Amino acid sequence: MPWISTRRAIAPLLLLLAAPGMLGASDFDSDFATRLLAGHNRERAALGLAPLRWSDELADGAGQWAGHLASTGQFRHSPNDQGQRIGENIWGGTPGQFTPERMVGLWLAEKQFFKNGVFPANSTSGNSRDVGHYTQIIWRRSTEVGCSLARGRDEDILVCRYATAGNVWGQSPL
């Protein structure tokens, strides 16, 4: 029966959307991770992909890199020397002016340029950089994410790390 499969598909999404309220969290600091994770997983659920799990280990590494970027004023991806290939999205914005949902939402906005296909030929603009944050979020083989926010002199820096890394040349995100 088609309505059963629809109910099964909607139930996890409803649970995901209700999670912050069920955890009793209401302020930015206490539910930061939950809100970032929910932002990632809403898009994955809409595409029928398994949700990402939060990783404290990835979040710790992201925190170290976010702190480095905030203290040096640099804005670049970390060198890939973690011993395993880790995916990474970075974001910067005016301190205190962006919610976790908006931070992730700016990465998700790249969907407008996404076309299904083999990376890096999956952007309608012809430039994989126009979809790289988005494709990392929806990368089918990614199962975990951990993020951290650091405040610099002039901007907040968000770093999210992913295992298994996405944006692998010659592979499809979906």
Side-chain angles (χ1 to χ4, degrees):
M1 292 191 245
W3 65 272
I4 291 175
S5 62
T6 302
R7 277 184 52 198
R8 285 186 185 145
I10 292 174
L13 180 58
L14 292 175
L15 182 59
L16 181 65
L17 293 173
M22 293 183 334
L23 295 173
S26 61
D27 67 335
F28 183 84
D29 293 327
S30 68
D31 64 356
F32 180 73
T34 301
R35 292 167 67 187
L36 285 171
L37 183 61
H40 282 76
N41 283 336
R42 271 190 292 276
E43 183 65 19
R44 291 178 65 88
L47 296 172
L49 299 171
L52 296 172
R53 294 181 310 274
W54 186 262
S55 165
D56 289 332
E57 182 180 346
L58 290 172
D60 288 345
Q64 291 173 20
W65 189 246
H68 171 75
L69 295 177
S71 67
T72 62
Q74 297 176 334
F75 193 78
R76 62 183 180 88
H77 285 283
S78 61
N80 203 3
D81 61 0
Q82 295 93 359
Q84 61 174 331
R85 199 148 176 274
I86 301 293
E88 185 176 76
N89 280 345
I90 58 175
W91 171 92
T94 305
Q97 298 301 306
F98 293 84
T99 64
E101 294 81 6
R102 189 154 176 228
M103 293 172 191
V104 173
L106 291 168
W107 292 333
L108 294 175
E110 294 176 0
K111 181 179 186 174
Q112 67 182 313
F113 300 111
F114 175 73
K115 67 177 181 178
N116 196 14
V118 173
F119 188 84
N122 54 356
S123 173
T124 59
S125 71
N127 186 345
S128 64
R129 291 183 199 153
D130 292 339
V131 296
H133 299 102
Y134 179 74
T135 52
Q136 175 56 80
I137 289 171
I138 66 162
W139 201 264
R140 178 179 300 278
R141 291 184 182 100
S142 294
T143 59
E144 296 180 305
V145 64
C147 306
S148 187
L149 184 71
R151 177 148 298 162
R153 190 175 54 124
D154 298 320
E155 67 181 340
D156 283 346
I157 303 289
L158 174 68
V159 175
C160 288
R161 290 196 170 166
Y162 304 83
T164 302
N167 297 340
V168 179
W169 284 65
Q171 293 185 12
S172 174
L174 302 173

